Amino acid sequence: LEILIVALIQLNDPNIHLTLTGNCNAAFKKYLEKNAEMIKDRIHFAGILAPDELLAFASQFDVGLALELTSSENRNVCLTNKVFTYLLAGNAIIFSETAMQKTFNQKFKMGLSFHLNDLNELKDCLIKYRDNSILSSQRIYNYKLAANELNWEIESLKLLQTLK
């Protein structure tokens, strides 16, 4: 998240807000207090949400952030649930390029991605999604992709077939 905070500070766009769910640890709050003073009014903490609330909550926003590090091999080779939540919510997505997220996004074209720790690429992603036509078409595409292809109802049939 630190690279995202730097990008938001450098862009200094009053229309870009960051809403975080889950627990915010003391170290990150201290980081924000020290480094994000100029954008602190655009950072919002939603706290912990029940799993059945996540989809409706995510649908209130335009872009979902799948910012993962490769420091754990598991994070490098897996997709987190948030990717599918963002799709079902109709969010555009910004991915950090872990091995799996890069492969998955290249196959399905669900959003924009940036190389890990490349601040300028991340800023470019944020700037591209300020273009409402790009943002809107990506959101519609993602919602249709989730409705017609990447959802549990369809994927569960594949699992059942494999188990047979």
Side-chain angles (χ1 to χ4, degrees):
L1 287 174
E2 288 86 354
I3 192 172
L4 176 63
I5 298 302
V6 173
L8 293 175
I9 289 168
Q10 289 184 8
L11 289 175
N12 197 24
D13 184 334
N15 296 313
I16 299 176
H17 287 248
L18 173 64
T19 301
L20 300 167
T21 60
N23 281 328
C24 181
N25 66 33
F28 189 66
K29 282 185 181 178
K30 189 172 185 174
Y31 172 84
L32 290 175
E33 290 170 10
K34 180 178 179 185
N35 298 293
E37 179 66 30
M38 73 183 287
I39 62 167
K40 71 178 185 180
D41 61 324
R42 290 181 269 144
I43 300 174
H44 315 282
F45 297 94
I48 297 174
L49 299 174
D52 61 341
E53 297 173 342
L54 284 173
L55 188 57
F57 184 77
S59 69
Q60 300 174 65
F61 303 100
D62 295 319
V63 179
L65 301 169
L67 307 180
E68 302 294 340
L69 299 174
T70 57
S71 56
S72 156
E73 184 58 20
N74 184 52
R75 283 287 188 224
N76 193 37
V77 298
C78 76
L79 292 172
T80 58
N81 289 337
K82 64 183 148 196
V83 171
F84 299 98
T85 298
Y86 297 149
L87 285 173
L88 289 167
N91 300 135
I93 304 173
I94 295 177
F95 295 93
S96 57
E97 288 190 350
T98 64
M100 183 56 72
Q101 289 192 155
K102 181 178 180 180
T103 300
F104 198 68
N105 191 37
Q106 285 174 339
K107 180 175 181 177
F108 292 103
K109 302 182 180 5
M110 301 167 292
L112 302 172
S113 65
F114 68 99
H115 290 92
L116 290 171
N117 300 317
D118 191 323
L119 176 63
N120 289 325
E121 282 187 11
L122 175 56
K123 289 188 326 188
D124 287 345
C125 292
L126 293 166
I127 289 167
K128 283 179 186 169
Y129 279 147
R130 287 194 300 197
D131 181 326
N132 197 47
S133 64
I134 293 172
L135 177 64
S136 293
S137 63
Q138 186 68 64
R139 291 187 70 194
I140 291 166
Y141 172 83
N142 285 1
Y143 183 78
K144 288 178 180 177
L145 183 64
N148 299 319
E149 189 171 350
L150 295 178
N151 62 64
W152 177 244
E153 288 77 16
I154 292 170
E155 293 298 315
S156 65
L157 298 176
K158 294 176 188 176
L159 176 62
L160 291 173
Q161 187 62 35
T162 301
L163 293 173
K164 281 184 179 180

